Amino acid sequence: MSTALTRLVTCGSVDDGKSTLIGRLLVETDSVPHDTVDSAKKIRRTGSTIPAGDIDFSLLTDGLEAEREQGITIDVAYRSMNLRNGNRLIIADAPGHEQYTRNMVVAASRANIALVLVDATRGIRTQTLRHTAICSLAGVERIVIVINKLDAVEYGQEIYDGLVSELQAKIAHLKIKELIAIPVSALAGDNVSSPSTRLDWYKGPTLLGAIEE
């Protein structure tokens, strides 16, 4: 029996939490070697606020030393993940900085799913719209709007609803086959691979569930 392959690209502005989100997905699906996870508990970026002993999930997708020093993603980092339904997922963690936008175009052109992250504390930004437009033009079949860092806004439904409505209005001119929105906290793990009681007002799928569909 052949294994179905899905390609996913993460999009959005710098510091919206893409690397942390993908790192958590990798850990929670046991797709990272344990020694690599142990290393992510010990290594810290300059200025990191992650407590010692906790996993810095963002380190699991940032492969270049220059990226770790600057705290940004320069190139597209590819990772493989086994989904719970037995299918295989190839994740492309795209750079968020404007000057590296071209690095994500090829990844978008090959993707079946795009995760467009929005920092709930910062709102819709230029790269949010630019990356969404690129994914639409590249013909990505499913675009998932991930409103991240809900923990930083006390899991407020009004903030989530407002951001989703704002983004939908700004991308209404794009031809998107399927668009869904999901509230998460990549840092705290809310609604990433399992439902969160702190987001009990949300009745849709978890992020991992939406990917596996």
Side-chain angles (χ1 to χ4, degrees):
M1 181 182 295
S2 61
T3 300
L5 175 65
T6 301
R7 293 184 179 273
L8 177 149
V9 60
T10 61
C11 312
S13 190
V14 64
D15 293 333
D16 283 350
K18 298 183 298 298
S19 296
T20 297
L21 179 64
I22 298 308
R24 180 174 284 279
L25 277 172
L26 290 170
V27 170
E28 294 190 355
T29 56
D30 199 23
S31 300
V32 182
H34 292 172
D35 59 343
T36 302
V37 176
D38 290 340
S39 178
K41 294 179 181 179
K42 301 172 184 176
I43 298 174
R44 287 293 176 269
R45 304 176 191 271
T46 302
S48 174
T49 59
I50 306 293
D54 288 358
I55 302 171
D56 184 344
F57 293 99
S58 67
L59 294 177
L60 301 175
T61 52
D62 288 355
L64 300 178
E65 194 63 31
E67 293 175 351
R68 290 188 175 180
E69 291 176 356
Q70 298 177 48
I72 61 175
T73 306
I74 296 174
D75 204 353
V76 177
Y78 290 92
R79 295 293 183 273
S80 176
M81 189 175 90
N82 294 318
L83 298 173
R84 295 174 298 189
N85 56 16
N87 293 339
R88 184 169 169 241
L89 182 73
I90 301 297
I91 304 170
D93 181 23
H97 277 268
E98 181 177 353
Q99 61 265 43
Y100 304 122
T101 299
R102 67 172 183 259
N103 293 4
M104 64 82 65
V105 175
V106 173
S109 70
R110 297 173 176 172
N112 310 107
I113 305 171
L115 305 185
V116 179
L117 272 72
V118 177
D119 183 337
T121 68
R122 299 189 180 190
I124 311 301
R125 295 191 275 176
T126 301
Q127 280 296 81
T128 313
L129 302 175
R130 183 178 287 117
H131 281 193
T132 305
I134 290 171
C135 289
S136 173
L137 291 171
V140 179
E141 298 169 5
R142 166 179 282 198
I143 296 180
V144 181
I145 306 302
V146 182
I147 308 299
N148 190 26
K149 304 187 183 181
L150 264 293
D151 57 304
V153 293
E154 299 181 349
Y155 301 93
Q157 182 178 3
E158 290 185 2
I159 294 175
Y160 167 78
D161 289 341
L163 289 171
V164 172
S165 296
E166 179 186 351
L167 183 56
Q168 287 176 332
K170 289 182 175 179
I171 63 175
H173 63 287
L174 299 177
K175 295 181 179 179
I176 299 174
K177 183 176 181 181
E178 183 180 5
L179 181 73
I180 63 174
I182 300 177
V184 309
S185 168
L187 187 63
D190 297 287
N191 213 29
V192 176
S193 61
S194 57
S196 169
T197 57
R198 291 177 288 198
L199 292 168
D200 56 2
W201 45 264
Y202 170 75
K203 305 304 180 184
T206 64
L207 178 60
L208 184 57
I211 292 171
E212 290 176 331
E213 288 178 6

